[in-house]
Amino acid sequence: MAVPIAVLDCDLLLYGRGHRTLDRFKLEDVTDEYLVSTYGFPRQFICYLVDLLGATLSRPTQRSRAISPETQILAALGFYTSGSFQTRMGDAIGISQASMSRCVANVTEALVERASQFIHFPKDEATVQTLKDDFYGLAGMPGVLGVVDCTHVAIKAPNAEDLSYVNRKGLHSLNCLMVCDSRGVLLSAETHWPGSLPDCTVLEQAALTSQFETELHKHGWLLGDSSFVLRTWLMTPLHIPETPAEYRYNMAHSATHNVIERTFRTIRARFRCLDGSKGTLQYSPEKSSHIILACCVLHNISLQHGLDVWSAPATGHMEQSEEEYEQMESVDSEACRVRQELLLTHFS
């Protein structure tokens, strides 16, 4: 006769039945210095996230006890900023590695749900004009609504047969298309593109292109490097500048476009889970894409809170674009006309 085996729930023995919130860790019990060194952010920022995400992270659960929103957020921040599920991180807040993983998943999805709230282009005319003025103040490039580029984030191989995520260096990655303003605030972030796709193809298929071709092109343009094709709403550098005006245009373009390269460096400096120093993201492409997007949301929130991420040292191995730049020749005569008019009007 089969003997039934009872599986003991240690949590049940310790805490009994019924839904309860487990608070192993209290923010008020530790110093600000400890929070920044361990979780990457100060107390005020963490409290803001608890208010922002608390209702979502407190959803009913069938488990005998629930981990508090505060603890879930600390666990996720610990992973984002260290790139590790090491036992010491879980021990610091009193949860297991498995619980750490669930917390990261919960907080990631909660942040992704709010991505459009924190990552978007301005809509009112006054804010759009301020955006242009701020860019113009950098190097004299007029009409700029944002700078665009791609960056690769390493992920584990989805499976042996799927080569779509293998980039030009033979590594598995996601190719992430992003746009930022003059302060490094992200205005657009598409983090799901397979690493095998070149930057120009990513942009061609991106929602960003549809957004500009149907709407935003009337207000100005983006600046992109030579891996992209010149468009009426996307100004690229001249391949071989010949006149003084063309040299001035290229210099202003480069100085302005450098903002997004700097932004990529600071994102990887703060969110070490993306920089490759702890290895690749050990998730499916979809989940990895969501983690990257969650970090982008946190990047923007941190700037809203006055946290100067640009003062952080650049570290790690988060890949810049995999492109071996080949000048993309535009067949759009109207785009060529727009760039030539820009040259004559502002750089001659």
Side-chain angles (χ1 to χ4, degrees):
M1 181 177 69
V3 178
I5 299 175
V7 178
L8 297 179
D9 184 342
C10 295
D11 290 348
L12 179 61
L13 290 175
L14 287 171
Y15 298 96
R17 292 192 180 277
H19 174 77
R20 68 175 70 210
T21 297
L22 185 62
D23 292 310
R24 302 172 174 83
F25 184 97
K26 295 290 186 181
L27 284 177
E28 57 268 24
D29 293 340
V30 296
T31 65
D32 289 336
E33 291 75 14
Y34 174 82
L35 290 173
V36 172
S37 64
T38 307
Y39 304 104
F41 293 95
R43 187 185 316 274
Q44 183 180 7
F45 182 90
I46 295 170
C47 290
Y48 172 82
L49 291 182
V50 172
D51 291 339
L52 178 70
L53 307 178
T56 301
L57 299 176
S58 299
R59 289 169 178 165
T61 174
Q62 297 302 312
R63 295 174 61 81
S64 59
R65 60 197 174 99
I67 299 175
S68 70
E70 182 179 279
T71 300
Q72 292 183 62
I73 288 168
L74 289 171
L77 292 178
F79 169 71
Y80 297 146
T81 58
S82 73
S84 174
F85 280 128
Q86 290 180 0
T87 304
R88 66 173 182 81
M89 184 63 71
D91 287 346
I93 49 179
I95 61 176
S96 66
Q97 183 171 322
S99 293
M100 278 279 295
S101 182
R102 286 193 295 271
C103 290
V104 170
N106 292 342
V107 174
T108 295
E109 292 311 306
L111 288 168
V112 167
E113 287 174 5
R114 291 161 176 77
S116 61
Q117 177 183 345
F118 293 99
I119 304 176
H120 56 80
F121 284 91
K123 297 189 181 298
D124 63 280
E125 291 185 10
T127 308
V128 169
Q129 188 58 51
T130 299
L131 187 64
K132 292 180 184 179
D133 293 343
D134 289 344
F135 271 119
Y136 187 79
L138 293 179
M141 181 68 76
V144 180
L145 297 175
V147 288
V148 59
D149 207 348
C150 288
T151 189
H152 286 249
V153 177
I155 62 171
K156 73 172 183 179
N159 57 63
E161 292 75 29
D162 190 352
L163 300 179
S164 64
Y165 292 92
V166 179
N167 61 36
R168 294 178 65 155
K169 293 186 176 180
L171 305 173
H172 290 82
S173 68
L174 290 168
N175 195 4
C176 305
L177 179 73
M178 300 187 193
V179 179
C180 74
D181 71 8
S182 63
R183 298 189 303 117
V185 175
L186 295 173
L187 306 174
S188 177
E190 299 184 34
T191 59
H192 62 282
W193 297 101
S196 65
L197 293 181
D199 294 0
C200 59
T201 303
V202 169
L203 181 60
E204 183 180 338
Q205 299 178 10
L208 178 68
T209 293
S210 175
Q211 186 179 12
F212 265 82
E213 290 185 344
T214 60
E215 174 184 3
L216 289 174
H217 71 284
K218 299 174 184 177
H219 304 291
W221 41 69
L222 299 177
L223 296 188
D225 61 27
S226 298
S227 63
F228 298 113
V229 178
L230 178 71
R231 300 169 184 259
T232 56
W233 49 268
L234 177 66
M235 295 292 103
T236 59
L238 290 144
H239 182 39
I240 304 177
E242 297 177 346
T243 67
E246 290 176 346
Y247 276 102
R248 284 192 288 269
Y249 167 85
N250 270 15
M251 289 178 65
H253 188 292
S254 176
T256 307
H257 188 266
N258 183 59
V259 172
I260 195 161
E261 297 167 6
R262 198 175 170 195
T263 299
F264 287 156
R265 290 195 297 269
T266 58
I267 289 174
R268 72 169 178 256
R270 169 148 277 165
F271 303 107
R272 300 294 298 277
C273 68
L274 307 182
D275 73 5
S277 65
K278 300 291 185 179
T280 62
L281 285 175
Q282 296 297 303
Y283 297 92
S284 68
E286 180 182 9
K287 289 184 178 180
S288 295
S289 170
H290 285 186
I291 287 174
I292 300 167
L293 185 55
C295 290
C296 290
V297 172
L298 289 173
H299 168 78
N300 275 10
I301 295 175
S302 68
L303 288 177
Q304 288 182 7
H305 281 72
L307 301 181
D308 184 11
V309 294
W310 282 6
S311 65
T315 57
H317 306 87
M318 180 178 176
E319 297 291 340
Q320 189 68 16
S321 167
E322 293 289 335
E323 300 297 301
E324 295 175 5
Y325 291 156
E326 299 176 3
Q327 181 67 22
M328 306 298 295
E329 295 297 333
S330 176
V331 295
D332 187 339
S333 59
E334 178 63 15
C336 293
R337 185 197 65 77
V338 170
R339 185 170 65 180
Q340 188 62 29
E341 182 178 334
L342 178 60
L343 279 163
L344 293 173
T345 305
H346 293 279
F347 296 97
S348 293

